Amino acid sequence: MNLPINGIIKATRHWLHNNNNEDVITQLLNVIKTSMQQNYFQFNDTFYQPEKGIAMGSPISGTMAEIYLQYVEANYIKQWWETDEIIYYKRYVDDILIIYNNQKINKDRIEKEINKIDKNLEFKMTPESNNIIHYLDLTLQRRSNNIELSIYRKPHSWAEKSV
């Protein structure tokens, strides 16, 4: 995931606003902005600086991702939850499972609205196929009145090669 720095700063300002005075907020946002602008990573003995967002594996990336995604949930997803358009919502880091009421909202509208939040944020939905969807290491299979869970193992390209 490539998190937008401006979105992270906006989300951090939002969360800090309720608990701190403006001087503390300004100072902390400047520290975070400076840290993220000094965002380099090394690959094959060469240093790179991403054009946008935070490099994966950066010590600050997990915390900033959580701040940003909680902001998105509170300011965009929450309204669908409150109107019962989304029936179930769970997130693990940046993997999201959504069960929605297809009488009130559809996959295309959810995807379109979330992708309007920030031009650097790309949300792609994987719909269920034959009443089955894989989420993290689980296979969820929809039955008439329940959901069955089983362990899902992603196929590896090396495992498919014959010897």
Side-chain angles (χ1 to χ4, degrees):
M1 178 186 344
N2 194 349
L3 297 170
I5 291 174
N6 288 336
I8 291 168
I9 297 299
K10 182 179 178 182
T12 304
R13 181 181 297 113
H14 169 81
W15 295 121
L16 288 172
H17 184 71
N18 294 334
N19 300 310
N20 294 285
N21 67 42
E22 285 302 315
D23 289 338
V24 171
I25 292 170
T26 301
Q27 291 171 13
L28 188 54
L29 290 176
N30 285 334
V31 168
I32 291 170
K33 189 182 288 187
T34 300
S35 297
M36 289 190 298
Q37 289 171 341
Q38 304 299 317
N39 184 31
Y40 298 92
F41 67 95
Q42 183 180 2
F43 179 73
N44 288 338
D45 297 325
T46 303
F47 286 92
Y48 299 91
Q49 182 176 27
E51 293 178 21
K52 57 186 177 187
I54 300 174
M56 285 179 56
S58 168
I60 198 170
S61 64
T63 301
M64 294 295 100
E66 190 62 28
I67 289 169
Y68 184 68
L69 291 172
Q70 283 187 22
Y71 173 80
V72 168
E73 290 167 346
N75 290 282
Y76 299 96
I77 306 299
K78 183 180 175 189
Q79 68 190 19
W80 289 329
W81 179 263
E82 291 172 345
T83 59
D84 293 329
E85 292 170 296
I86 288 180
I87 300 166
Y88 185 83
Y89 177 94
K90 286 294 175 198
R91 175 177 60 85
Y92 179 77
V93 188
D94 64 345
D95 290 316
I96 301 169
L97 176 65
I98 295 174
I99 300 174
Y100 60 90
N101 181 338
N102 61 8
Q103 302 296 316
K104 295 184 175 188
I105 196 167
N106 62 43
K107 167 193 169 301
D108 295 331
R109 182 166 159 235
I110 293 170
E111 202 167 38
K112 179 182 172 189
E113 293 298 318
I114 291 177
N115 284 324
K116 286 192 324 189
I117 295 169
D118 188 288
K119 65 180 180 184
N120 296 311
L121 185 65
E122 184 178 2
F123 181 80
K124 292 181 187 176
M125 290 184 71
T126 304
E128 69 179 63
S129 176
N130 298 322
N131 295 338
I132 294 175
I133 191 162
H134 304 293
Y135 177 68
L136 301 174
D137 292 332
L138 295 174
T139 295
L140 290 81
Q141 184 167 14
R142 187 165 46 99
R143 300 288 186 186
S144 58
N145 59 353
N146 68 359
I147 296 175
E148 291 182 11
L149 301 175
S150 59
I151 302 298
Y152 173 69
R153 306 240 189 267
K154 291 181 183 178
H156 296 285
S157 59
W158 57 266
E160 296 171 359
K161 294 179 182 177
S162 59
V163 179

